[in-house]
Amino acid sequence: MNIERKRRITNLVALALSSLAAMVGLFWLVFILGDVIVHGIRGLNLSLFLEDPVPPGIEGGGLRNAFVGQVLITLAATLIGVPVGVLGGTFLAEYARGKKLSRVISILSDIMVSVPSIVVGTFVYAIMVKPLGHFNGWAGAVALAIIMIPVVLRTTEDMLTMVPWTLREAAFALGAPYYKVIIQVVYRGAATGILTGVLLSIARVAGETAPLLFTSFNNSFFSWDMSEPVASLTVTIFQYAMGPYESWHLQAWAASLVITLFILLITLAGRFILKWRFGR
Amino acid sequence: MTKGLKKDPVDFIFGTLTAIASLSVVLLIGGIFLALVQESTPAIEKFGVWKFITTVDWDPVAEVFGALSTLFGTAVTTVLSLVFAVPIAIGIAIFITEIAPGFLKGPIGTAIELLAAIPSIIYGMWGLFTLAPIMEEYIEPFLQSTIGRLPLLSILFEGTPMGIDLLTASLILSIMIIPFTASIARDSFNLTPSIVKESAYAVGATRWEVVKDVVLPYSKLGVFGGVVLSLGRALGETMAVAFVLGNNHQITSSLFDAAATITVSLANEFTEADTDIYLSSLYYLALILFVMSFITLAVARFFLLRAERRYAR
């Protein structure tokens, strides 16, 4: 009787502690998101998007240059990273399917996904900034692309592997060469999955700061020129938050709100597509 | 596949393209390593390996550089954040897999994963403007007046609480890695065959006993792999700690002191390095970080793959 009671109490305590842990996790999410929303909304206005920064210490101005720069860098990174990632994933899932090489590259990509992004920044500085002698937007795009490639590559591989092999055999039977089978049959079957993977990888790099610090750096002026330093939202947030001015802090919060909502929405959309399409 | 297919020239070109694209990952890893070695060569030649990692000084003016203070900061924040995060993460995984009613499983799982999607710079800024003041005013004085009074533990809580210190940085880091550990632990828990769990329930085990004696032993490889993966993540996290650690190159016994990690030093000093040996020493730090996290992540993969293979049987 006594033992039974002890077991029951241990059980209750353990389950309560686990539930508490879940509450702690949710608490942090609500705390951080709530804080970003409360602070960010106060700084949110039209001039944030439509005006360029004013000299430090003066009220007003906006972050138009950083918004445009962020879009430019992320877009360029996507254009570099996605083709490489999708083609690389195709090799692993199709031409090298089941081979040892495919396994090794797959594992290396998984490791590469978690390699510190600031190290990627120092690498790109060495190959693209130092030789040119100045920070430039392309270097930032390449740094983000390097982070993107393994992510896209792995999701593409997974998505292509999920396309039934019999579908390919049906196309082979019609005499189609492998590349046609891949492009016209396999890619079509896996399109939703691959696109979702691309979407999630964009969400992943859009919030990266560390790789941009030494590559695209920052620019307080509006610029379309990717061969010059380009402002990005994240680096601007870093600079403004560390700066001494109250108006800077407010703009940093507003920029944080915009970027956080953007990333969370993409992430949620990606998850729902995956769940709806693949039920996982 | 068959010989006939390989004769098609377009297919050969397409196949080669995909091969090059996938090899880019290998080339990038090799390239990063070589570039870091090359850039840090002056510092490696000047300070050596053993001397560099055992020297505390980090003095740009005298051009004396050592990694020990940043290694110390990296180790303390990483270990502390794991201590904070792992119990919570495992609790969350238990809650999601064993306790939560069906309709709550999905939403809570997604909510925890959203925590991982928040950019690290947001964590950093939140830490600086919101968490650090709370730590300074309430939590750290409280710790000082309670645990800080105990004879042996008091050295951990010395000094004036400022909020910009090792404890705050570790706490933020722990919030960041909770979702990684939790989602891998959850996936590992889910791999436990329900037949095994049901037979334990059938002989009268409580839920906690099923978790402790069936699920945990069954999934310990996967959970361990998840913890090591989180360790690798924590090692390389930059922006979340850059705001709240103070970048002070020192070795200190008190968690209420500012310190520096490899990542924080890189973020703060890289663009300000005005001499070649200074920049080279920073590259040396980056090289050490790259090698450390690569090994950690490889070990994590090894455990996760072994876990996967075991369940696949």
Side-chain angles (χ1 to χ4, degrees):
Chain A
M1 202 59 201
N2 208 359
I3 288 177
E4 198 167 292
R5 217 179 133 156
K6 205 178 135 200
R7 282 176 58 202
R8 200 166 286 167
I9 290 172
T10 319
N11 182 45
L12 274 180
V13 170
L15 295 189
L17 283 178
S18 302
S19 311
L20 192 70
M23 292 306 119
V24 170
L26 290 181
F27 166 75
W28 289 127
L29 181 72
V30 172
F31 190 2
I32 295 171
L33 279 186
D35 206 44
V36 171
I37 292 171
V38 166
H39 283 97
I41 277 184
R42 277 191 285 147
L44 217 52
N45 51 41
L46 263 184
S47 59
L48 187 76
F49 302 95
L50 298 177
E51 285 175 32
D52 287 332
V54 289
I58 298 173
E59 294 283 322
L63 298 173
R64 180 176 71 133
N65 62 332
F67 280 102
V68 172
Q70 181 82 48
V71 171
L72 278 182
I73 294 174
T74 312
L75 199 68
T78 311
L79 290 180
I80 304 168
V82 169
V84 177
V86 169
L87 284 177
T90 309
F91 181 72
L92 299 191
E94 303 292 338
Y95 290 98
R97 175 184 284 243
K99 294 205 178 107
K100 203 160 197 176
L101 179 68
S102 170
R103 286 286 285 163
V104 171
I105 295 182
S106 197
I107 294 171
L108 282 178
S109 307
D110 275 338
I111 294 177
M112 187 73 187
V113 167
S114 305
V115 156
S117 56
I118 195 160
V119 171
V120 175
T122 61
F123 167 66
V124 175
Y125 179 87
I127 61 163
M128 285 184 73
V129 176
K130 226 176 163 193
L132 285 175
H134 58 86
F135 298 107
N136 60 85
W138 290 115
V142 168
L144 293 190
I146 290 176
I147 295 167
M148 224 169 175
I149 289 171
V151 182
V152 178
L153 187 138
R154 287 290 290 117
T155 31
T156 306
E157 187 197 353
D158 285 346
M159 292 303 157
L160 296 186
T161 316
M162 279 161 69
V163 176
W165 187 253
T166 44
L167 218 59
R168 294 180 183 82
E169 282 177 351
F172 286 140
L174 296 174
Y178 204 175
Y179 77 94
K180 271 198 177 156
V181 176
I182 293 173
I183 294 172
Q184 298 188 348
V185 177
V186 185
Y187 278 169
R188 278 196 194 169
T192 323
I194 295 176
L195 282 177
T196 314
V198 169
L199 217 56
L200 290 175
S201 75
I202 293 176
R204 162 87 206 272
V205 297
E208 284 287 354
T209 316
L212 298 179
L213 285 174
F214 329 131
T215 52
S216 56
F217 199 57
N218 207 345
N219 189 344
S220 20
F221 303 102
F222 183 84
S223 159
W224 289 103
D225 190 359
M226 288 279 282
S227 59
E228 290 294 316
V230 175
S232 56
L233 273 183
T234 48
V235 175
T236 308
I237 292 173
F238 184 50
Q239 191 198 338
Y240 276 25
M242 292 297 243
Y245 311 106
E246 201 51 49
S247 60
W248 273 18
H249 295 172
L250 197 60
Q251 290 191 340
W253 277 115
S256 303
L257 176 63
V258 173
I259 206 160
T260 307
L261 288 185
F262 172 77
I263 289 170
L264 290 191
L265 283 181
I266 292 194
T267 310
L268 275 178
R271 300 220 149 271
F272 277 121
I273 296 174
L274 285 182
K275 193 164 270 176
W276 158 73
R277 189 77 170 68
F278 306 103
R280 63 175 206 192
Chain B
M1 295 286 108
T2 60
K3 275 177 197 159
L5 291 175
K6 285 213 168 145
K7 270 182 196 155
D8 193 321
V10 186
D11 194 52
F12 178 75
I13 295 170
F14 186 71
T16 315
L17 265 181
T18 62
I20 294 171
S22 75
L23 282 177
S24 71
V25 173
V26 183
L27 292 178
L28 279 175
I29 292 180
I32 290 175
F33 182 74
L34 287 180
L36 293 182
V37 169
Q38 199 203 343
E39 295 295 322
S40 50
T41 304
I44 296 174
E45 276 168 3
K46 186 166 179 194
F47 304 114
V49 178
W50 182 246
K51 202 177 146 218
F52 188 68
I53 56 174
T54 52
T55 302
V56 183
D57 294 328
W58 182 268
D59 188 347
V61 181
E63 299 199 342
V64 175
F65 298 100
L68 193 57
S69 58
T70 49
L71 285 173
F72 168 81
T74 305
V76 171
T77 50
T78 306
V79 170
L80 259 189
S81 66
L82 281 180
V83 169
F84 296 150
V86 170
I88 304 251
I90 290 181
I92 289 174
I94 294 175
F95 180 81
I96 292 177
T97 52
E98 306 296 330
I99 303 175
F103 69 95
L104 267 182
K105 278 182 192 191
I108 291 188
T110 311
I112 299 297
E113 276 169 28
L114 280 188
L115 211 49
I118 297 177
S120 58
I121 183 139
I122 307 296
Y123 279 94
M125 204 169 87
W126 171 80
L128 177 68
F129 289 127
T130 304
L131 187 63
I134 294 176
M135 297 294 285
E136 180 189 357
E137 264 187 60
Y138 305 104
I139 298 177
E140 290 177 354
F142 171 76
L143 286 174
Q144 224 164 18
S145 61
T146 49
I147 325 177
R149 292 271 168 80
L150 300 173
L152 278 174
L153 291 173
S154 63
I155 55 161
L156 291 176
F157 303 102
E158 276 170 351
T160 318
M162 301 288 283
I164 304 292
D165 53 33
L166 284 165
L167 186 67
T168 310
S170 311
L171 186 59
I172 295 178
L173 214 45
S174 82
I175 304 173
M176 287 204 70
I177 58 177
I178 283 174
F180 296 113
T181 326
S183 74
I184 293 180
R186 181 193 59 183
D187 292 347
S188 311
F189 287 178
N190 273 336
L191 287 172
T192 316
S194 37
I195 283 198
V196 187
K197 284 198 289 189
E198 277 157 18
S199 22
Y201 281 124
V203 294
T206 61
R207 268 196 218 193
W208 166 243
E209 283 162 351
V210 171
V211 170
K212 177 173 63 100
D213 298 327
V214 179
V215 177
L216 276 177
Y218 209 91
S219 52
K220 60 175 183 276
L221 262 183
V223 174
F224 187 69
V227 171
V228 180
L229 190 69
S230 312
L231 175 83
R233 287 263 173 170
L235 277 180
E237 184 45 55
T238 309
M239 301 321 289
V241 284
F243 286 94
V244 290
L245 199 53
N247 193 32
N248 190 348
H249 290 266
Q250 60 169 347
I251 290 185
T252 162
S253 65
S254 172
L255 298 177
F256 293 171
D257 276 333
T261 66
I262 293 182
T263 52
V264 170
S265 304
L266 286 172
N268 279 301
E269 297 172 40
F270 199 84
T271 50
E272 284 163 14
D274 41 8
T275 58
D276 287 343
I277 193 73
Y278 191 2
L279 189 65
S280 180
S281 303
L282 285 168
Y283 265 111
Y284 202 172
L285 288 184
L287 176 66
I288 292 174
L289 175 66
F290 181 65
V291 172
M292 278 197 315
S293 52
F294 191 88
I295 292 173
T296 314
L297 296 167
V299 169
R301 281 293 145 208
F302 173 76
F303 280 108
L304 289 174
L305 282 176
R306 275 205 25 200
E308 218 172 81
R309 211 166 290 162
R310 229 176 75 172
Y311 300 135
R313 279 194 312 211

